[in-house]
Amino acid sequence: MEYNSAKREGLAGAEEMPVKISTRGVDLYYGDRQVLKKISFDMGEKMVTAFIGPSGCGKSSYLRCLNRMNDFISSARVEGIIEIDGENILAADTDVIALRRRVGMVFQKPNPFPMSIYDNIAYGPRLNGIKDRGTLDGIVEKSLRDAAIWEEVRDKLKSPGTGLSGGQQQRLCIARAVATQPDILLMDEPTSALDPMSTARVEELIRELKKDYTVVIVTHNMQQAARISDYTAFFLLGDLIEYDRTAKIFTSPRDRRTEDYISGRFG
């Protein structure tokens, strides 16, 4: 596939949007195995970008490049350029701790810390040196409000976060991620372990969060991608096959492989 020509078509109109994340020629290897091949595309600021594709196609591996989570894998090697606000985060002198403050992450399975709801949210700000109780109170309330869970937990902030329902735990984890005021939120299949009602609440929340954050979500649920994202990237076997406005991807994709995947012919 000639991705450059696809990119020019796929980003028609995208020139009008401020670019938040720019990826150029990124290859990712785990040992001798190449899992990403020359990935190049731009993601807009304060938009929701969805990554779709079958299991093992590279979408979560690319997501982890955006906050250098692959650094924890000894065999991982990343080549190319990923810029956030014009700064190459793959550069050797990147402050990775500062990067992860700017790029929050929500995982597939809710993972609240074994501590109170309040302390789950205050944990990150405290690590960043905030000790004043009044300031922390304000951050906790705002984060829980941003995650649309404040009204449900305001009277039990001292209760353990692990005592919440699955959907509430995931929104608690989203609140924990936004408490450090990141620019970008990464979400790796954030609703795959949730019931339909909780999934709907999180999807509604994502639509609200893009007012303040750039959101990048990996999802196996194509209906979810169609509902909540502005742009969609289709990955297959380590290649970025197609990237375009979500409406176009789902109604008139350029590549037959995209159409086959969306229509359920494989995957």
Side-chain angles (χ1 to χ4, degrees):
M1 179 199 64
E2 291 296 329
Y3 180 67
N4 287 337
S5 61
K7 175 179 177 294
R8 286 194 293 272
E9 294 173 23
L11 287 181
E15 298 81 3
E16 304 161 11
M17 71 179 182
V19 172
K20 186 70 175 178
I21 305 168
S22 181
T23 300
R24 294 290 173 265
V26 165
D27 295 312
L28 171 63
Y29 300 85
Y30 293 141
D32 294 330
R33 182 169 64 94
Q34 186 170 8
V35 294
L36 292 175
K37 307 167 188 173
K38 293 290 180 287
I39 305 299
S40 297
F41 69 123
D42 294 331
M43 287 180 271
E45 185 173 20
K46 293 183 180 177
M47 291 189 178
V48 179
T49 301
F51 297 167
I52 63 172
S55 296
C57 66
K59 53 191 186 298
S60 291
S61 294
Y62 171 77
L63 191 78
R64 290 193 295 269
C65 290
L66 296 177
N67 64 351
R68 298 276 297 265
M69 288 288 284
N70 287 310
D71 288 14
F72 294 112
I73 302 173
S74 60
S75 63
R77 184 175 86 257
V78 187
E79 299 173 355
I81 295 172
I82 298 176
E83 292 182 339
I84 296 178
D85 294 329
E87 177 186 345
N88 182 16
I89 66 168
L90 300 181
D93 60 351
T94 296
D95 184 336
V96 178
I97 294 174
L99 171 66
R100 292 182 186 137
R101 283 198 291 263
R102 295 172 58 199
V103 185
M105 185 135 188
V106 177
F107 295 92
Q108 179 175 359
K109 185 178 179 182
N111 60 340
F113 298 148
M115 55 183 67
S116 71
I117 292 169
Y118 183 99
D119 287 336
N120 262 273
I121 308 305
Y123 183 83
R126 283 174 175 149
L127 280 182
N128 292 340
I130 298 174
K131 305 297 182 186
D132 179 71
R133 179 67 186 218
T135 302
L136 287 171
D137 287 349
I139 291 171
V140 168
E141 179 175 347
K142 182 180 186 306
S143 301
L144 291 169
R145 285 188 183 278
D146 286 350
I149 193 175
W150 170 251
E151 297 300 332
E152 297 167 51
V153 302
R154 61 185 300 174
D155 297 324
K156 47 184 178 182
L157 295 179
K158 293 182 180 179
S159 301
T162 52
L164 297 172
S165 70
Q168 288 175 323
Q169 286 186 24
Q170 193 63 301
R171 282 182 285 143
L172 176 66
C173 292
I174 293 171
R176 187 178 68 199
V178 302
T180 55
Q181 297 183 305
D183 296 330
I184 298 166
L185 277 178
L186 309 180
M187 298 186 171
D188 195 354
E189 298 188 59
T191 64
S192 64
L194 304 183
D195 61 81
M197 186 172 294
S198 296
T199 294
R201 293 291 302 274
V202 172
E203 288 183 3
E204 181 182 354
L205 171 57
I206 290 170
R207 284 189 287 267
E208 287 296 311
L209 287 171
K210 79 170 185 176
K211 296 175 182 176
D212 298 305
Y213 305 96
T214 299
V215 180
V216 186
I217 179 172
V218 168
T219 179
H220 278 290
N221 185 329
M222 285 179 285
Q223 290 77 21
Q224 180 174 80
R227 286 191 297 264
I228 67 172
S229 68
D230 301 290
Y231 279 78
T232 295
F234 171 50
F235 287 79
L236 182 64
L237 299 176
D239 288 311
L240 177 57
I241 301 300
E242 191 163 347
Y243 173 64
D244 212 325
R245 294 187 183 277
T246 295
K248 188 172 181 184
I249 287 284
F250 282 91
T251 58
S252 54
R254 290 182 308 274
D255 195 290
R256 177 64 181 268
R257 290 166 294 181
T258 310
E259 182 179 354
D260 287 349
Y261 180 73
I262 289 171
S263 63
R265 294 191 183 98
F266 73 93

